[in-house]
């Protein structure tokens, strides 16, 4: 059986390994990652060594990359890895068998094994490395839709909408007062979740009445870290920063009081002019004699 046959490369995963090193790596969708496999002291010259990278994919493992007698060989590499999986030809002689995997897809997640063999039979494994790779997709930076700046009135109802997409799992969404980092609990919050295939889109709307200036931002909390929107400074229009009806009410009360006082004054004058007139006694006697 030829050493270059796919079958011979596949069965190596089930051989008893001399020793095993395990790593766990996290890669981002459409990003790149380097899987480690380094041996500083090779037992033989590189021309007597074969290297196989495989992805365990039961029932049939996939060949990811190979180097035969010190030369990179793509003959039996699975189609899904061609053009994306690379070994460094210049590093092979120094025992650098690291695998570079580019343009990651979600299907690249799994267990990778680096198998190193040497002559005379090319079936003796002097070491191997196992790498667990998990490919994740991150949400994009959240964007907040806010009212036109400079148009806010005291007590006005404000609606803010935060949107983010591209993740794989449902995140936690928070509204934050950027001035002190506190979470905003006032108001009503409504969340909408939409899943398109493997990817999730989240939308959170907060509704509240603005009574003071505030610097607000939206935070998406995921297992890979937090994503924060820009900080939005929302200010109440200065000329109406205090309740607008207070002055009007004071003016109305003042006007009523003034009108009442004026009414009392006018009434007093009218009473003076219409009081009863008494005729003097001497005039009464004169009238009787006449």
């Amino acid at each position: 059986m030829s050493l270059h046959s796919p079958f011979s490369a596949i069965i190596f995963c089930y051989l008893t390994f001399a020793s095993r090193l395990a790593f766990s790596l996290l890669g981002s969708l459409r990003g790149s990652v380097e899987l480690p496999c380094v041996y500083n002291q090779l037992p033989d010259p590189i021309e007597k060594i074969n290297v196989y990278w495989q992805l365990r994919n039961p029932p049939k493992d996939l060949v990811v990359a190979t180097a035969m007698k010190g030369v990179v060989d793509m003959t039996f590499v699975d189609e899904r890895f061609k053009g994306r999986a690379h070994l460094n030809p210049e590093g092979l002689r120094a025992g650098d068998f690291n695998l570079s995997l580019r343009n990651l897809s979600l299907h690249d997640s799994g267990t990778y094994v680096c198998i190193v063999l040497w002559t005379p039979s090319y079936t003796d494994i002097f070491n191997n490395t196992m790498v667990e790779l998990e490919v994740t997709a991150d949400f994009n930076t959240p964007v907040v839709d806010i009212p036109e700046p400079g148009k806010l009135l005291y007590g006005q109802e404000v609606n803010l909408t935060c949107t983010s997409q591209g993740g794989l799992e449902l995140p936690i969404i928070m509204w934050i007062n950027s001035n002190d980092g506190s979470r905003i609990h006032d108001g009503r919050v409504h969340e909408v979740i939409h899943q398109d295939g493997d990817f999730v889109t989240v939308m959170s709307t907060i509704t509240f009445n603005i009574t003071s200036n505030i610097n607000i931002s939206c935070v998406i909390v995921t297992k890979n870290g937090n994503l924060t929107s820009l900080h939005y400074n929302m200010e109440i229009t200065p000329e109406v920063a205090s309740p607008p009806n207070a002055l009007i009410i004071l003016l109305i009360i003042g006007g009523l009081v003034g009108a009442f006082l004026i009414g009392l004054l006018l009434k007093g004058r009218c009473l003076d002019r219409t009081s009863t007139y008494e005729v003097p006694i001497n005039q009464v006697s004169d009238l009787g004699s006449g």
Side-chain angles (χ1 to χ4, degrees):
M1 180 175 60
S2 171
L3 291 175
H4 284 201
S5 69
F7 178 77
S8 62
I10 292 169
I11 64 173
F12 289 148
C13 285
Y14 300 97
L15 297 178
T16 301
F17 299 145
S19 62
R20 183 180 301 245
L21 298 174
F23 298 88
S24 295
L25 294 179
L26 195 64
S28 297
L29 182 68
R30 291 183 288 274
S32 301
V33 70
E34 185 171 85
L35 283 62
C37 184
V38 177
Y39 302 99
N40 295 321
Q41 295 182 347
L42 298 179
D44 280 306
I46 191 63
E47 289 79 11
K48 296 183 179 181
I49 292 176
N50 289 349
V51 180
Y52 295 86
W53 271 100
Q54 296 178 338
L55 170 62
R56 289 188 171 177
N57 186 41
K60 180 181 178 181
D61 292 350
L62 304 179
V63 178
V64 181
T66 62
M68 312 299 293
K69 298 181 179 180
V71 178
V72 175
D73 188 345
M74 302 295 293
T75 305
F76 300 109
V77 172
D78 190 86
E79 287 296 327
R80 60 184 277 188
F81 292 107
K82 285 186 177 180
R84 299 194 303 119
H86 302 275
L87 297 174
N88 181 8
E90 297 179 359
L92 295 176
R93 192 169 298 275
D96 177 2
F97 308 134
N98 289 349
L99 173 69
S100 296
L101 196 56
R102 305 171 185 172
N103 193 23
L104 293 174
S105 72
L106 298 178
H107 301 293
D108 289 335
S109 295
T111 302
Y112 291 76
V113 182
C114 172
I115 307 167
V116 183
L117 306 98
W118 82 100
T119 55
S121 62
Y122 290 105
T123 58
D124 295 324
I125 302 175
F126 69 83
N127 214 331
N128 78 289
T129 301
M130 180 179 294
V131 181
E132 292 288 343
L133 175 64
E134 180 183 359
V135 179
T136 64
D138 294 329
F139 285 91
N140 57 12
T141 302
V143 177
V144 177
D145 182 22
I146 65 171
E148 184 180 353
K151 301 295 184 180
L152 299 176
L153 304 178
Y154 181 92
Q156 177 179 339
E157 185 175 86
V158 177
N159 292 284
L160 305 179
T161 300
C162 174
T163 305
S164 183
Q165 58 187 355
L168 299 178
E169 299 178 358
L170 181 63
I172 297 174
I173 309 173
M174 298 188 301
W175 292 94
I176 298 295
N177 184 343
S178 305
N179 292 328
D180 56 14
S182 62
R183 187 170 181 176
I184 300 174
H185 295 284
D186 297 335
R188 306 183 303 275
V189 177
H190 177 66
E191 294 183 2
V192 177
I193 310 298
H194 176 69
Q195 188 157 358
D196 183 10
D198 294 321
F199 303 104
V200 175
T201 297
V202 293
M203 180 181 298
S204 176
T205 300
I206 185 171
T207 303
F208 62 96
N209 295 94
I210 186 166
T211 57
S212 63
N213 297 337
I214 188 173
N215 199 346
I216 195 169
S217 59
C218 174
V219 179
I220 304 294
V221 181
T222 71
K223 68 177 183 179
N224 297 328
N226 298 346
L227 298 169
T228 304
S229 71
L230 296 176
H231 304 307
Y232 299 95
N233 189 26
M234 305 177 63
E235 296 183 352
I236 300 173
T237 305
E239 58 269 21
V240 291
S242 59
N245 293 331
L247 182 58
I248 297 176
I249 294 173
L250 290 176
L251 291 175
I252 293 174
I253 294 175
L256 292 175
V257 171
F260 179 73
L261 293 176
I262 292 173
L264 289 179
L265 180 61
L266 293 177
K267 183 177 181 181
R269 290 182 178 179
C270 290
L271 289 174
D272 290 342
R273 292 176 181 177
T274 59
S275 60
T276 304
Y277 178 75
E278 295 183 0
V279 181
I281 297 176
N282 59 348
Q283 291 183 7
V284 172
S285 59
D286 291 343
L287 291 171
S289 60

